Amino acid sequence: MDCMIRNANRDVDHISKVLTPTYSTVLQPLDVIVTNINDFYAIGSHLEVILGSPGWRESMKRARSKVTGFITAIPLNRLLYQALLQIDDDALDPV
């Protein structure tokens, strides 16, 4: 998990500094980053329920703290927020 969080932080830092923020250069990569973290954590959470050992629970407790810290830092990232504001709303494909 440490490596995933470190890589995700690096990737968020990178996308927050793109010169021309667009859906494909900011929003899409951010979605992939968060999805990867959530999916990886979900597997660990599932194994925690199945295995239920004290060591596994302690590992998941540490991972939960790191994932929570990563996810809550996203909306507080000033550069990422500024990149999001620069995206042209008219260029987004409505779903």
Side-chain angles (χ1 to χ4, degrees), residues 10-90:
R10 180 203 60 218
D11 294 344
V12 168
D13 184 54
H14 174 74
I15 65 172
S16 67
K17 296 176 183 173
V18 296
L19 298 178
T20 308
T22 65
Y23 172 83
S24 62
T25 62
V26 177
L27 288 171
Q28 189 175 22
L30 182 60
D31 182 53
V32 170
I33 292 166
V34 171
T35 298
N36 288 342
I37 293 289
N38 285 336
D39 289 350
F40 191 76
Y41 181 79
I43 292 169
S45 183
H46 177 71
L47 290 173
E48 177 186 19
V49 171
I50 292 172
L51 301 174
S53 70
W56 195 264
R57 282 193 297 274
E58 184 58 36
S59 293
M60 286 306 297
K61 182 180 175 183
R62 287 191 306 271
R64 188 174 303 113
S65 173
K66 292 173 184 179
V67 169
T68 300
F70 171 75
I71 296 296
T72 57
I74 289 174
L76 301 174
N77 184 319
R78 184 180 306 267
L79 289 175
L80 182 60
Y81 178 69
Q82 290 171 348
L84 291 169
L85 289 176
Q86 292 178 40
I87 296 173
D88 180 11
D89 290 345
D90 295 330

